[in-house]
Amino acid sequence: MPKAPEIKSGQVIDIDGQQFVVRSITVSSPTARGAATLYKMVLNDLTTRRKKDVTFKGDDMVNLADFQQITVSYLYADGESHTFMDGEDYSQHMLMSDELGDQLLWLHEGMEGIKGLVVNDNLVAIELPQSVVKTITETAPGIKGASASARTKPATLDGGIVVQVPEYIEPGERIRVNTETQKFMSRAGKE
């Protein structure tokens, strides 16, 4: 049984016999001496789909629910439903837009390397790869001779995500972005 700091977004936990998907975790470290670090988790109930907020202390033990992790690829969107395909048996699973939340911005048709969490033969959540390659749709023109210094500019990526990129990056370039921190990692080359 893991402690609260070991729990990651996307995992399924069990609280009093109910299963919840961890959607996000906010860590707050109090400044008072002897005060415990708090882990506020936003959860979604797997049966009712209702949102629940819970707070754990750093030494609290958390029950992980029984779940299976599979590799899926994103096939397509049909209105508010999004279809994923199991990489092993080619079965298809669907999630709704509100279940995916901000993860939707990162998805594109044919995207692979996504981890899916399956509980009772139902896909309940996905975990994005640590980094993805996206194309810059809009940014200021690159500055010739700009070094790889700390100076950055905003760039809009396909999907609508805005990240800070170095000044020498041009519109239309493909870049690798960290999905957790939403930070530029490197150029990704041509398609």
Side-chain angles (χ1 to χ4, degrees):
M1 194 180 323
K3 289 186 176 186
E6 299 167 20
I7 301 297
K8 299 205 180 326
S9 183
Q11 287 187 306
V12 182
I13 63 173
D14 188 299
I15 300 174
D16 300 328
Q18 287 184 285
Q19 296 174 331
F20 298 89
V21 176
V22 178
R23 290 293 174 203
S24 66
I25 302 170
T26 306
V27 180
S28 61
S29 300
T31 55
R33 268 191 230 176
T37 300
L38 300 176
Y39 296 83
K40 181 179 179 187
M41 299 183 189
V42 176
L43 311 174
N44 278 97
D45 189 318
L46 290 182
T47 53
T48 65
R49 301 287 184 206
R50 287 202 173 117
K51 189 173 121 177
K52 177 177 181 161
D53 294 337
V54 293
T55 303
F56 295 102
K57 291 181 182 170
D59 55 354
D60 287 347
M61 301 300 268
V62 180
N63 286 331
L64 285 178
D66 288 333
F67 65 91
Q68 178 186 4
Q69 193 169 41
I70 60 173
T71 301
V72 296
S73 55
Y74 180 63
L75 294 181
Y76 59 88
D78 184 14
E80 291 294 306
S81 68
H82 301 270
T83 304
F84 297 85
M85 183 176 67
D86 186 329
E88 286 186 25
D89 65 8
Y90 305 110
S91 61
Q92 294 185 3
H93 304 274
M94 291 202 319
L95 288 174
M96 301 306 287
S97 294
D98 60 342
E99 296 172 299
L100 293 167
D102 291 343
Q103 292 176 316
L104 264 178
L105 300 172
W106 297 102
L107 295 175
H108 58 269
E109 287 186 13
M111 185 175 179
E112 296 180 348
I114 303 167
K115 298 288 183 203
L117 298 173
V118 178
V119 177
N120 300 330
D121 295 327
N122 291 323
L123 182 69
V124 295
I126 62 164
E127 199 174 298
L128 294 168
Q130 187 172 357
S131 66
V132 295
V133 174
K134 291 292 214 176
T135 303
I136 295 175
T137 57
E138 189 180 318
T139 189
I143 298 173
K144 292 264 188 238
S147 65
S149 67
R151 292 180 55 164
T152 61
K153 62 184 178 181
T156 305
L157 308 177
D158 55 337
I161 302 162
V162 177
V163 298
Q164 292 292 319
V165 298
E167 288 183 325
Y168 59 84
I169 299 291
E170 297 277 344
E173 279 193 71
R174 292 168 42 85
I175 61 170
R176 185 167 300 281
V177 182
N178 183 310
T179 55
E180 275 187 40
T181 62
Q182 296 190 8
K183 293 198 185 301
F184 169 85
M185 294 172 70
S186 65
R187 282 179 161 155
K190 304 288 182 217
E191 274 188 4

